[in-house]
Amino acid sequence: MKKVMVSLIVICLMLIAPLSVLADVRVTPSIPNDPTTQKDNDKGFVKTFPIYVELTGDEGETFQDSNFKFEFDFGPAITNFNCDGYGEYEVETTGDVQTGGTCTFSTASTIGLGKAQVGTISVLIDKNAADSDCTIRYMLGEASSVFNKTNPDTGASVPYEIIIGGLVLAAGAYVVTSKKTKLFKI
């Protein structure tokens, strides 16, 4: 009886579920935490970061809207910024480090799916500033993130995966041995 019920449920799910799903093209921005170049000058450190956009969707789709408007909020250690286009992308930069900057990357070409670099952002960082003041927040549409930040010191010296794995192994060993062990009273 169980096999019949499971078979009916599977058949119903196959009839109800669509056979194919057409997904919209999704845009995912990314800026790596490590700069491609870092120079030291009299005013501070100049760090340059690449700006990527990854387009995902159905195979063969193209993306018609070729404008990517990045909005930036800078930490107090950032004293200046500049955006440059990459390849066929041109850039329009507005704003400043106090109120937040906007870099709009655009191209006349049709864009295909995949990850592509659209530009770079260069920031001037005060030499005497704390690492926690060097954060840069960015937003493209609904997607937002922070880069150029230091990882906080958690104080953990053993990775969590090892601790969790050890607990799982110990629990498994306890369950297996507790069922087969019988205590005899002499």
Side-chain angles (χ1 to χ4, degrees):
M1 186 69 176
K2 288 183 183 180
K3 290 182 181 180
V4 173
M5 289 300 288
V6 171
S7 299
L8 285 174
I9 291 173
V10 169
I11 291 171
C12 288
L13 287 175
M14 288 175 55
L15 293 174
I16 294 171
L19 297 176
S20 66
V21 177
L22 296 175
D24 291 334
V25 174
R26 193 177 79 195
V27 180
T28 307
S30 65
I31 300 175
N33 202 35
D34 297 324
T36 53
T37 61
Q38 180 174 330
K39 298 177 184 173
D40 188 7
N41 66 19
D42 296 337
K43 297 179 182 177
F45 297 108
V46 177
K47 294 184 179 183
T48 303
F49 299 89
I51 299 174
Y52 296 102
V53 173
E54 184 173 4
L55 304 173
T56 55
D58 291 332
E59 190 175 329
E61 283 189 279
T62 56
F63 193 67
Q64 300 300 324
D65 185 9
S66 56
N67 292 326
F68 302 105
K69 182 179 179 181
F70 282 82
E71 297 175 3
F72 295 98
D73 288 324
F74 302 100
I78 310 294
T79 58
N80 199 0
F81 83 101
N82 183 37
C83 290
D84 291 314
Y86 183 82
E88 297 180 6
Y89 289 91
E90 296 178 0
V91 66
E92 180 182 334
T93 304
T94 57
D96 57 28
V97 293
Q98 285 80 27
T99 60
T102 301
C103 298
T104 305
F105 301 93
S106 60
T107 183
S109 303
T110 303
I111 305 166
L113 300 178
K115 187 173 183 178
Q117 183 175 351
V118 297
T120 60
I121 182 169
S122 299
V123 292
L124 179 62
I125 301 172
D126 183 9
K127 287 182 182 181
N128 300 322
D131 287 343
S132 60
D133 293 338
C134 298
T135 59
I136 304 170
R137 298 184 188 281
Y138 68 92
M139 185 163 69
L140 175 64
E142 297 294 318
S144 64
S145 188
V146 179
F147 72 102
N148 196 28
K149 62 181 178 187
T150 57
N151 292 331
D153 186 12
T154 61
S157 60
V158 179
Y160 291 118
E161 292 86 4
I162 294 173
I163 295 171
I164 292 170
L167 290 174
V168 169
L169 286 174
Y174 175 77
V175 169
V176 170
T177 59
S178 67
K179 288 184 179 180
K180 294 185 179 183
T181 304
K182 294 182 182 180
L183 295 175
F184 294 102
K185 195 172 190 181
I186 300 177

